[in-house]
Amino acid sequence: MIELSTTKRVILGNEAIAFGALSAGVSIATGYPGTPSTEIIETLMKYGKIYAEWSTNEKVAFETAYGAAINGAFALTAMKHVGLNVAADPLMSSSYTGVEGALVIVSADDPSMWSSQNEQDNRYYGLHALIPVIEPYDPQSAHDLTVEAFKLSNKVKHPVILRSTTRIGHIRGPVELKPPSKPVLGSLIKNPRRYVLVPENARRNRVEQLKRWEKIEEEVENLNELIDNDSENLIIASGISFGYVIDAIKELEIKTNVLRLSTPVPIPKRLILDAVSNSKRVLIVEEGEPIVEYQVKDLLYDQGVRVELHGKDLVSRVGEMTLDKIYYAFSKFFGLDLVSEYLEIPQDIPPRPPALCPGCPHRNSFIDLKKAITMASFKPNETFISGDIGCYTLGFLPPFDAQDSSTDMGSSIGIANGVYRSTGNIPIAVIGDSTFFHSGISALVNAVYNQTPMLVFVLDNRSTAMTGQQPSPSKEIDIGEVAKGLGVKYVKYVDPFDVNSSIKELSNALKWVKDNKQPAVVIAKRACALLVMDNVEEDNLPKAIVDLEKCTGCSICYDYFTCPAIIPRKDKKAEIDNYTCIGCGACVPVCPFKAISLKGNKPEKWDELWLG
Amino acid sequence: MARVNILIAGVGGQGIITAGKMIAEAGNYSNTKVLIAETHGLAQRGGGVNIHVRIGEVNSPLIPLGKADYLVGLEATEVLRNLNYASRKHTTIIINNYVMRPVLPKVKLLSLQEVLDKLKGCNVHVIDANQIAVKAGNIKAANAAILGFLYSLGAFEGLINEESFIKALKYESNIKAFKIAQAIKINGIDINGI
């Protein structure tokens, strides 16, 4: 437990942001879980005596925070970088209206794509929307600059983006915590001339927006710092790059001035112009896109300043910042001979991708689905399975090989619409419960409205499991009833562990889609195994056992079912790792020789926890 | 400048992030700056995971290639996957005597011996951290055993003291595993310099 009264603590960057928000007086916090942003809202829920919610999606999260901020509250909304695309619509307009209290939008970017589909640089949103972007460089600055972000937003009455990255949010380091402040709530402000964006009002807002932008350009000057080492060289280091630059110049004993840039959008023009004017050579070090570089070049051209300037010609545009990238840039910029010696990674190491957990219902769902495809006389290589974002994206891996696409939250149903229109093949959209409510629902509306034949297979494990079992709307709202309400005529439920009946239901649904040329929805209902484990005594679980007399070493359980708890012995027979097995029983019907059984008694409420 | 770089690799679920937390907290008790870069998200579920631990005068989270002072594998094969952080001259490699099968069909595993063969000429220590953890009363304490072993090698000298570790390890089984692993080094049972 982190006591807010004790100051210096080792915490995660995301926790530092959350405590910074509490210190600034945040009263409303919203978000949709997504790595690397999740712990911000989690921390606020755990330690803040404020309103914090998981919203249906990032757009709703944004609008909720914005609704609070236009009534005077201090609000925060947090999402991963791709989440901001979902919220881009209200984001652009929020810059036109401005806010009354404070609105801080945390965008957690993921350079190198540790757990994301792309590495877009969300500082562009700042330029695009005319919203200032504040970028920390370590956990301490993440904390302090969150406070500054609220101050700036409130002072200028404009939203502010706090842009973190994986290596800000997910590094752990010492942070001096500022004490919490009283949460700033709002009181009703009715101002339709400002907040109703009909063209007449929006045109007036556009002019106001640009006035605020001028004020913002003034305000950001003080958030940045020039470290003057009396050198003719200048390095402008944005965000996380600052720490790397400092380490490299200490290590290599290089003499250079360094400008720590915490506001990549807009750049502090006066500070940069002064610093550049006193330099002969300039190197801009920034992760990702040349956003600072473009602005600096623009500024220098306007001011008629000619100087030797380097940026993305020396600093890689691919992946996250590393010291190795800095060493490379420095070797060119300072003319140093920096050869680093390191060992090569051997080529013949078996890959180790993440896997579905022991007891995960999705493993069975994929096995059931693949068998149903064959049973319904669909040809597996002519059946497009459009996937979605969640634990079940792992279904693209062998042995399932059951995802042909997966681009963004809710994309499975949307893409299936297009697959059918272009090919005439009936597609299967696999989607999770949280993703269904996030944005799959509107694509399903489209399928019903346009009568697009597809099987929508909803894997309802009652949670947003991939990010840490956050609750999902499926706990309150029955997906089958929603589908029926939208006009889906064929809706069924299956228990994925009940293999035979699931295969039959799925196969019937596929046949129905083929005959009726309409969408059908089948919902596989079984809880996330980790969620079940949170509610039972771990010492008291049943365990699977293998009857070695019956086991033939056919390898189906470990090569085709691939539960991590089933391990091959030297003689190819199976054995159970008691430490990993949770006694879910999913493997029992999978063995064709009936060699696997369960030993021990079910804990209390076992079935309710899985199926409730 | 005084600093130590430790890269700890293994499989999601082995307590690697917890190991990082324990070092960071121990560092805080000793008033030494520690930065830990963690991998979260999907990688937690049975996939390869690593953490970068940088102790002392550091401002950035990631270890440069070849600059790990210690490369630790809580699972033997994962050492190889992170080998580019090590150099032959400079790096001490510590391997837990444990190979774990990836959850993929028909994978051919590397044996511990095959892993060691690929590390010929490196400074390698092999320890049985899982067994130490079981001896200490909790299989989950394998990460604490590794920390004890690192401590006995002098990895934290002048930066983090034993008392701070004891405080940060919190649980009795962790502390016990930490101490047993230290004793193992003293008795010279580890396989050194293969």
Side-chain angles (χ1 to χ4, degrees), chain B residues 72-97:
Chain B
V72 179
L74 268 167
E75 194 274 351
T77 342
E78 292 306 311
V79 160
L80 298 180
R81 212 185 304 282
N82 292 280
L83 205 55
N84 52 351
Y85 290 103
S87 73
R88 209 175 292 277
K89 276 186 220 156
H90 178 78
T91 310
T92 304
I93 299 174
I94 294 130
I95 299 183
N96 186 12
N97 169 21

PDB file of all heavy atoms in Angstrom, chain B residues 72-97:
ATOM      1  N   VAL B  72      20.943 -12.703 -16.384  1.00  0.00           N
ATOM      2  CA  VAL B  72      20.376 -13.750 -15.539  1.00  0.00           C
ATOM      3  C   VAL B  72      19.223 -14.429 -16.274  1.00  0.00           C
ATOM      4  O   VAL B  72      18.349 -13.752 -16.821  1.00  0.00           O
ATOM      5  CB  VAL B  72      19.815 -13.132 -14.227  1.00  0.00           C
ATOM      6  CG1 VAL B  72      19.190 -14.211 -13.354  1.00  0.00           C
ATOM      7  CG2 VAL B  72      20.916 -12.396 -13.478  1.00  0.00           C
ATOM      8  N   GLY B  73      19.218 -15.751 -16.308  1.00  0.00           N
ATOM      9  CA  GLY B  73      18.093 -16.478 -16.895  1.00  0.00           C
ATOM     10  C   GLY B  73      17.384 -17.294 -15.842  1.00  0.00           C
ATOM     11  O   GLY B  73      17.940 -18.241 -15.299  1.00  0.00           O
ATOM     12  N   LEU B  74      16.141 -16.915 -15.516  1.00  0.00           N
ATOM     13  CA  LEU B  74      15.349 -17.753 -14.607  1.00  0.00           C
ATOM     14  C   LEU B  74      14.913 -19.018 -15.338  1.00  0.00           C
ATOM     15  O   LEU B  74      14.496 -19.990 -14.733  1.00  0.00           O
ATOM     16  CB  LEU B  74      14.120 -16.985 -14.116  1.00  0.00           C
ATOM     17  CG  LEU B  74      14.312 -16.212 -12.818  1.00  0.00           C
ATOM     18  CD1 LEU B  74      13.178 -15.241 -12.590  1.00  0.00           C
ATOM     19  CD2 LEU B  74      14.429 -17.159 -11.635  1.00  0.00           C
ATOM     20  N   GLU B  75      14.998 -18.967 -16.669  1.00  0.00           N
ATOM     21  CA  GLU B  75      14.805 -20.150 -17.501  1.00  0.00           C
ATOM     22  C   GLU B  75      16.004 -20.159 -18.429  1.00  0.00           C
ATOM     23  O   GLU B  75      16.405 -19.109 -18.961  1.00  0.00           O
ATOM     24  CB  GLU B  75      13.494 -20.021 -18.276  1.00  0.00           C
ATOM     25  CG  GLU B  75      13.004 -21.307 -18.915  1.00  0.00           C
ATOM     26  CD  GLU B  75      13.591 -21.576 -20.290  1.00  0.00           C
ATOM     27  OE1 GLU B  75      14.277 -20.694 -20.867  1.00  0.00           O
ATOM     28  OE2 GLU B  75      13.391 -22.683 -20.800  1.00  0.00           O
ATOM     29  N   ALA B  76      16.586 -21.361 -18.645  1.00  0.00           N
ATOM     30  CA  ALA B  76      17.897 -21.432 -19.308  1.00  0.00           C
ATOM     31  C   ALA B  76      17.876 -20.889 -20.744  1.00  0.00           C
ATOM     32  O   ALA B  76      18.741 -20.094 -21.127  1.00  0.00           O
ATOM     33  CB  ALA B  76      18.399 -22.866 -19.278  1.00  0.00           C
ATOM     34  N   THR B  77      16.886 -21.299 -21.550  1.00  0.00           N
ATOM     35  CA  THR B  77      16.884 -20.890 -22.963  1.00  0.00           C
ATOM     36  C   THR B  77      16.756 -19.378 -23.121  1.00  0.00           C
ATOM     37  O   THR B  77      17.250 -18.806 -24.090  1.00  0.00           O
ATOM     38  CB  THR B  77      15.679 -21.519 -23.717  1.00  0.00           C
ATOM     39  OG1 THR B  77      15.176 -22.609 -22.957  1.00  0.00           O
ATOM     40  CG2 THR B  77      16.070 -21.981 -25.081  1.00  0.00           C
ATOM     41  N   GLU B  78      16.062 -18.733 -22.188  1.00  0.00           N
ATOM     42  CA  GLU B  78      15.827 -17.291 -22.311  1.00  0.00           C
ATOM     43  C   GLU B  78      17.114 -16.483 -22.211  1.00  0.00           C
ATOM     44  O   GLU B  78      17.176 -15.335 -22.651  1.00  0.00           O
ATOM     45  CB  GLU B  78      14.788 -16.820 -21.287  1.00  0.00           C
ATOM     46  CG  GLU B  78      13.379 -17.355 -21.543  1.00  0.00           C
ATOM     47  CD  GLU B  78      12.865 -17.074 -22.949  1.00  0.00           C
ATOM     48  OE1 GLU B  78      12.951 -15.929 -23.415  1.00  0.00           O
ATOM     49  OE2 GLU B  78      12.400 -18.031 -23.604  1.00  0.00           O
ATOM     50  N   VAL B  79      18.144 -17.074 -21.621  1.00  0.00           N
ATOM     51  CA  VAL B  79      19.458 -16.419 -21.608  1.00  0.00           C
ATOM     52  C   VAL B  79      19.930 -16.217 -23.048  1.00  0.00           C
ATOM     53  O   VAL B  79      20.412 -15.150 -23.419  1.00  0.00           O
ATOM     54  CB  VAL B  79      20.478 -17.267 -20.818  1.00  0.00           C
ATOM     55  CG1 VAL B  79      21.901 -16.902 -21.187  1.00  0.00           C
ATOM     56  CG2 VAL B  79      20.271 -17.065 -19.337  1.00  0.00           C
ATOM     57  N   LEU B  80      19.747 -17.247 -23.867  1.00  0.00           N
ATOM     58  CA  LEU B  80      20.212 -17.163 -25.254  1.00  0.00           C
ATOM     59  C   LEU B  80      19.449 -16.098 -26.031  1.00  0.00           C
ATOM     60  O   LEU B  80      20.008 -15.380 -26.844  1.00  0.00           O
ATOM     61  CB  LEU B  80      20.043 -18.520 -25.952  1.00  0.00           C
ATOM     62  CG  LEU B  80      20.850 -19.681 -25.361  1.00  0.00           C
ATOM     63  CD1 LEU B  80      20.584 -20.940 -26.164  1.00  0.00           C
ATOM     64  CD2 LEU B  80      22.339 -19.365 -25.331  1.00  0.00           C
ATOM     65  N   ARG B  81      18.145 -16.003 -25.781  1.00  0.00           N
ATOM     66  CA  ARG B  81      17.330 -15.044 -26.520  1.00  0.00           C
ATOM     67  C   ARG B  81      17.753 -13.603 -26.223  1.00  0.00           C
ATOM     68  O   ARG B  81      17.445 -12.688 -26.971  1.00  0.00           O
ATOM     69  CB  ARG B  81      15.847 -15.236 -26.166  1.00  0.00           C
ATOM     70  CG  ARG B  81      14.905 -14.921 -27.312  1.00  0.00           C
ATOM     71  CD  ARG B  81      13.443 -15.004 -26.904  1.00  0.00           C
ATOM     72  NE  ARG B  81      13.074 -16.279 -26.342  1.00  0.00           N
ATOM     73  CZ  ARG B  81      12.846 -17.377 -27.048  1.00  0.00           C
ATOM     74  NH1 ARG B  81      12.950 -17.346 -28.349  1.00  0.00           N
ATOM     75  NH2 ARG B  81      12.530 -18.520 -26.472  1.00  0.00           N
ATOM     76  N   ASN B  82      18.423 -13.399 -25.095  1.00  0.00           N
ATOM     77  CA  ASN B  82      18.840 -12.047 -24.703  1.00  0.00           C
ATOM     78  C   ASN B  82      20.353 -11.871 -24.745  1.00  0.00           C
ATOM     79  O   ASN B  82      20.897 -10.956 -24.134  1.00  0.00           O
ATOM     80  CB  ASN B  82      18.321 -11.748 -23.296  1.00  0.00           C
ATOM     81  CG  ASN B  82      16.801 -11.628 -23.273  1.00  0.00           C
ATOM     82  OD1 ASN B  82      16.257 -10.593 -23.626  1.00  0.00           O
ATOM     83  ND2 ASN B  82      16.114 -12.700 -22.906  1.00  0.00           N
ATOM     84  N   LEU B  83      21.006 -12.769 -25.463  1.00  0.00           N
ATOM     85  CA  LEU B  83      22.471 -12.812 -25.430  1.00  0.00           C
ATOM     86  C   LEU B  83      23.125 -11.545 -25.981  1.00  0.00           C
ATOM     87  O   LEU B  83      24.265 -11.244 -25.637  1.00  0.00           O
ATOM     88  CB  LEU B  83      22.949 -14.042 -26.217  1.00  0.00           C
ATOM     89  CG  LEU B  83      24.325 -14.585 -25.833  1.00  0.00           C
ATOM     90  CD1 LEU B  83      24.410 -14.890 -24.352  1.00  0.00           C
ATOM     91  CD2 LEU B  83      24.659 -15.822 -26.652  1.00  0.00           C
ATOM     92  N   ASN B  84      22.405 -10.803 -26.822  1.00  0.00           N
ATOM     93  CA  ASN B  84      23.040  -9.598 -27.380  1.00  0.00           C
ATOM     94  C   ASN B  84      23.249  -8.486 -26.342  1.00  0.00           C
ATOM     95  O   ASN B  84      23.929  -7.520 -26.621  1.00  0.00           O
ATOM     96  CB  ASN B  84      22.265  -9.076 -28.610  1.00  0.00           C
ATOM     97  CG  ASN B  84      20.798  -8.887 -28.327  1.00  0.00           C
ATOM     98  OD1 ASN B  84      20.301  -9.297 -27.277  1.00  0.00           O
ATOM     99  ND2 ASN B  84      20.087  -8.274 -29.248  1.00  0.00           N
ATOM    100  N   TYR B  85      22.691  -8.657 -25.158  1.00  0.00           N
ATOM    101  CA  TYR B  85      22.992  -7.691 -24.101  1.00  0.00           C
ATOM    102  C   TYR B  85      24.305  -8.017 -23.390  1.00  0.00           C
ATOM    103  O   TYR B  85      24.772  -7.259 -22.558  1.00  0.00           O
ATOM    104  CB  TYR B  85      21.848  -7.625 -23.075  1.00  0.00           C
ATOM    105  CG  TYR B  85      20.626  -6.974 -23.663  1.00  0.00           C
ATOM    106  CD1 TYR B  85      19.526  -7.727 -24.071  1.00  0.00           C
ATOM    107  CD2 TYR B  85      20.596  -5.596 -23.854  1.00  0.00           C
ATOM    108  CE1 TYR B  85      18.426  -7.118 -24.652  1.00  0.00           C
ATOM    109  CE2 TYR B  85      19.496  -4.987 -24.433  1.00  0.00           C
ATOM    110  CZ  TYR B  85      18.420  -5.755 -24.823  1.00  0.00           C
ATOM    111  OH  TYR B  85      17.329  -5.147 -25.400  1.00  0.00           O
ATOM    112  N   ALA B  86      24.891  -9.174 -23.734  1.00  0.00           N
ATOM    113  CA  ALA B  86      26.110  -9.613 -23.045  1.00  0.00           C
ATOM    114  C   ALA B  86      27.313  -9.501 -23.964  1.00  0.00           C
ATOM    115  O   ALA B  86      27.187  -9.524 -25.186  1.00  0.00           O
ATOM    116  CB  ALA B  86      25.939 -11.063 -22.602  1.00  0.00           C
ATOM    117  N   SER B  87      28.488  -9.377 -23.348  1.00  0.00           N
ATOM    118  CA  SER B  87      29.730  -9.496 -24.113  1.00  0.00           C
ATOM    119  C   SER B  87      30.593 -10.557 -23.420  1.00  0.00           C
ATOM    120  O   SER B  87      30.420 -10.823 -22.234  1.00  0.00           O
ATOM    121  CB  SER B  87      30.460  -8.163 -24.175  1.00  0.00           C
ATOM    122  OG  SER B  87      31.036  -7.867 -22.936  1.00  0.00           O
ATOM    123  N   ARG B  88      31.455 -11.166 -24.205  1.00  0.00           N
ATOM    124  CA  ARG B  88      32.255 -12.269 -23.675  1.00  0.00           C
ATOM    125  C   ARG B  88      33.146 -11.819 -22.519  1.00  0.00           C
ATOM    126  O   ARG B  88      33.268 -12.476 -21.503  1.00  0.00           O
ATOM    127  CB  ARG B  88      33.087 -12.870 -24.804  1.00  0.00           C
ATOM    128  CG  ARG B  88      33.394 -14.346 -24.639  1.00  0.00           C
ATOM    129  CD  ARG B  88      34.105 -14.887 -25.848  1.00  0.00           C
ATOM    130  NE  ARG B  88      33.240 -14.915 -27.024  1.00  0.00           N
ATOM    131  CZ  ARG B  88      32.374 -15.887 -27.304  1.00  0.00           C
ATOM    132  NH1 ARG B  88      32.255 -16.907 -26.493  1.00  0.00           N
ATOM    133  NH2 ARG B  88      31.627 -15.838 -28.386  1.00  0.00           N
ATOM    134  N   LYS B  89      33.742 -10.665 -22.680  1.00  0.00           N
ATOM    135  CA  LYS B  89      34.713 -10.191 -21.690  1.00  0.00           C
ATOM    136  C   LYS B  89      34.056  -9.702 -20.411  1.00  0.00           C
ATOM    137  O   LYS B  89      34.541  -9.911 -19.316  1.00  0.00           O
ATOM    138  CB  LYS B  89      35.485  -8.987 -22.282  1.00  0.00           C
ATOM    139  CG  LYS B  89      36.647  -9.374 -23.159  1.00  0.00           C
ATOM    140  CD  LYS B  89      37.394  -8.103 -23.543  1.00  0.00           C
ATOM    141  CE  LYS B  89      37.830  -8.186 -25.008  1.00  0.00           C
ATOM    142  NZ  LYS B  89      38.023  -6.873 -25.603  1.00  0.00           N
ATOM    143  N   HIS B  90      32.941  -9.036 -20.606  1.00  0.00           N
ATOM    144  CA  HIS B  90      32.459  -8.115 -19.594  1.00  0.00           C
ATOM    145  C   HIS B  90      31.345  -8.702 -18.719  1.00  0.00           C
ATOM    146  O   HIS B  90      31.111  -8.250 -17.602  1.00  0.00           O
ATOM    147  CB  HIS B  90      31.944  -6.897 -20.385  1.00  0.00           C
ATOM    148  CG  HIS B  90      31.363  -5.822 -19.555  1.00  0.00           C
ATOM    149  ND1 HIS B  90      32.163  -4.947 -18.869  1.00  0.00           N
ATOM    150  CD2 HIS B  90      30.075  -5.480 -19.309  1.00  0.00           C
ATOM    151  CE1 HIS B  90      31.364  -4.111 -18.229  1.00  0.00           C
ATOM    152  NE2 HIS B  90      30.107  -4.406 -18.472  1.00  0.00           N
ATOM    153  N   THR B  91      30.629  -9.715 -19.254  1.00  0.00           N
ATOM    154  CA  THR B  91      29.369 -10.101 -18.622  1.00  0.00           C
ATOM    155  C   THR B  91      29.462 -11.414 -17.851  1.00  0.00           C
ATOM    156  O   THR B  91      30.038 -12.387 -18.344  1.00  0.00           O
ATOM    157  CB  THR B  91      28.265 -10.238 -19.694  1.00  0.00           C
ATOM    158  OG1 THR B  91      28.263  -9.066 -20.492  1.00  0.00           O
ATOM    159  CG2 THR B  91      26.892 -10.428 -19.078  1.00  0.00           C
ATOM    160  N   THR B  92      28.880 -11.430 -16.656  1.00  0.00           N
ATOM    161  CA  THR B  92      28.731 -12.662 -15.905  1.00  0.00           C
ATOM    162  C   THR B  92      27.326 -13.207 -16.165  1.00  0.00           C
ATOM    163  O   THR B  92      26.347 -12.468 -16.022  1.00  0.00           O
ATOM    164  CB  THR B  92      28.891 -12.392 -14.389  1.00  0.00           C
ATOM    165  OG1 THR B  92      30.154 -11.759 -14.195  1.00  0.00           O
ATOM    166  CG2 THR B  92      28.835 -13.678 -13.591  1.00  0.00           C
ATOM    167  N   ILE B  93      27.258 -14.473 -16.586  1.00  0.00           N
ATOM    168  CA  ILE B  93      25.964 -15.057 -16.927  1.00  0.00           C
ATOM    169  C   ILE B  93      25.553 -16.044 -15.836  1.00  0.00           C
ATOM    170  O   ILE B  93      26.346 -16.888 -15.413  1.00  0.00           O
ATOM    171  CB  ILE B  93      26.037 -15.766 -18.300  1.00  0.00           C
ATOM    172  CG1 ILE B  93      26.402 -14.743 -19.392  1.00  0.00           C
ATOM    173  CG2 ILE B  93      24.716 -16.455 -18.643  1.00  0.00           C
ATOM    174  CD1 ILE B  93      26.637 -15.337 -20.763  1.00  0.00           C
ATOM    175  N   ILE B  94      24.308 -15.910 -15.372  1.00  0.00           N
ATOM    176  CA  ILE B  94      23.796 -16.800 -14.320  1.00  0.00           C
ATOM    177  C   ILE B  94      22.569 -17.528 -14.868  1.00  0.00           C
ATOM    178  O   ILE B  94      21.611 -16.888 -15.312  1.00  0.00           O
ATOM    179  CB  ILE B  94      23.429 -16.006 -13.049  1.00  0.00           C
ATOM    180  CG1 ILE B  94      24.712 -15.423 -12.464  1.00  0.00           C
ATOM    181  CG2 ILE B  94      22.741 -16.885 -12.018  1.00  0.00           C
ATOM    182  CD1 ILE B  94      24.626 -13.987 -12.168  1.00  0.00           C
ATOM    183  N   ILE B  95      22.616 -18.838 -14.838  1.00  0.00           N
ATOM    184  CA  ILE B  95      21.535 -19.623 -15.434  1.00  0.00           C
ATOM    185  C   ILE B  95      20.863 -20.500 -14.393  1.00  0.00           C
ATOM    186  O   ILE B  95      21.542 -21.248 -13.671  1.00  0.00           O
ATOM    187  CB  ILE B  95      22.086 -20.520 -16.570  1.00  0.00           C
ATOM    188  CG1 ILE B  95      22.697 -19.643 -17.667  1.00  0.00           C
ATOM    189  CG2 ILE B  95      20.996 -21.404 -17.148  1.00  0.00           C
ATOM    190  CD1 ILE B  95      23.205 -20.426 -18.846  1.00  0.00           C
ATOM    191  N   ASN B  96      19.567 -20.393 -14.309  1.00  0.00           N
ATOM    192  CA  ASN B  96      18.807 -21.317 -13.481  1.00  0.00           C
ATOM    193  C   ASN B  96      18.744 -22.661 -14.231  1.00  0.00           C
ATOM    194  O   ASN B  96      18.435 -22.695 -15.423  1.00  0.00           O
ATOM    195  CB  ASN B  96      17.402 -20.757 -13.251  1.00  0.00           C
ATOM    196  CG  ASN B  96      16.596 -21.594 -12.282  1.00  0.00           C
ATOM    197  OD1 ASN B  96      17.148 -22.474 -11.599  1.00  0.00           O
ATOM    198  ND2 ASN B  96      15.299 -21.348 -12.221  1.00  0.00           N
ATOM    199  N   ASN B  97      19.010 -23.729 -13.526  1.00  0.00           N
ATOM    200  CA  ASN B  97      19.066 -25.067 -14.116  1.00  0.00           C
ATOM    201  C   ASN B  97      17.644 -25.566 -14.416  1.00  0.00           C
ATOM    202  O   ASN B  97      17.128 -26.438 -13.750  1.00  0.00           O
ATOM    203  CB  ASN B  97      19.785 -25.977 -13.107  1.00  0.00           C
ATOM    204  CG  ASN B  97      19.684 -27.425 -13.472  1.00  0.00           C
ATOM    205  OD1 ASN B  97      19.426 -27.768 -14.619  1.00  0.00           O
ATOM    206  ND2 ASN B  97      19.900 -28.280 -12.483  1.00  0.00           N
TER     207      ASN B  97
END
